[in-house]
Amino acid sequence: FSSGRDVGAIGTNRTDLTHHQLMQRGHRGILQVLDLDVPIIVACQGWTIGGSFQRALICDIRIATEGARFMLPEATHGVIPDTGGVARLFQMAGHGLASDMVLTGRVLTADEALAAGVVSRVVPPGELDATAREMAETIAAAPPLTVKLARRVIGNLASPAVRASMEEELLAQTVLTTSHDFAEFKAARAGEREPRYRR
């Protein structure tokens, strides 16, 4: 599916915008997904990592192939997930799994994702596209207003927490990327040494 963004670029800015402004711009794009009138089905095969995993979590339905893997490695790069997906992961799988994935960067298998409600189906790799298309055709065959209103009802249950989480993530990531901890993390990694954090 996607290995996400280059986390090494976090905190380095190649534009006139601040990191905070870049995140705000990115959040505007992500929030558009929540405001659409049509559902989004995400077909995950291979690795779905970091920001790409968070974007998949924001969508309506996720299906995966056998052997698919999911990961939130941001903390191992000195930052936090920052695109709202953690709120949705928390809603689906609870505090324990969300904390485990965010704090340790552990890999979630397709079968674990199914058991935790992160994906709704796991299919053989050769059936992923056909399954996604069949689901989309089933949804498209329903009355459009029914689909729109059903998505709205479900969204109103889940989206307020996602929006609130994104606001917190925006502030936290802005603080992190200008912190001594983050500078020390990057310096230690570049110098191939153990970091010396202030306690």
Side-chain angles (χ1 to χ4, degrees), residues 24-104:
Q24 286 177 314
R25 185 172 69 182
H27 280 187
R28 281 193 296 274
I30 293 162
L31 290 170
Q32 289 176 356
V33 170
L34 299 178
D35 296 330
L36 288 173
D37 288 338
V38 296
I40 301 171
I41 300 169
V42 180
C44 302
Q45 181 170 328
W47 285 97
T48 306
I49 301 176
S52 296
F53 181 34
Q54 292 181 75
R55 284 174 187 83
L57 288 163
I58 296 289
C59 295
D60 299 277
I61 301 170
R62 286 148 307 285
I63 58 175
T65 59
E66 298 161 348
R69 300 286 185 267
F70 305 88
M71 187 178 183
L72 293 170
E74 289 86 349
T76 65
H77 296 280
V79 293
I80 62 169
D82 61 11
T83 55
V86 171
R88 191 63 57 83
L89 178 63
F90 182 90
Q91 292 169 336
M92 295 170 185
H95 184 274
L97 183 62
S99 294
D100 190 2
M101 291 191 74
V102 170
L103 298 175
T104 71

Side-chain angles (χ1 to χ4, degrees), residues 115-173:
V118 174
V119 299
S120 61
R121 303 182 194 190
V122 174
V123 299
E127 297 178 19
L128 182 64
D129 291 341
T131 302
R133 183 165 192 83
E134 178 185 332
M135 293 170 76
E137 288 172 351
T138 298
I139 293 167
L145 184 59
T146 300
V147 172
K148 178 180 178 177
L149 293 177
R151 185 176 191 271
R152 178 184 167 96
V153 168
I154 294 168
N156 285 338
L157 294 170
S159 296
V162 172
R163 292 175 192 273
S165 178
M166 289 175 75
E167 290 176 15
E168 283 292 314
E169 292 161 359
L170 176 63
L171 295 174
Q173 199 75 295

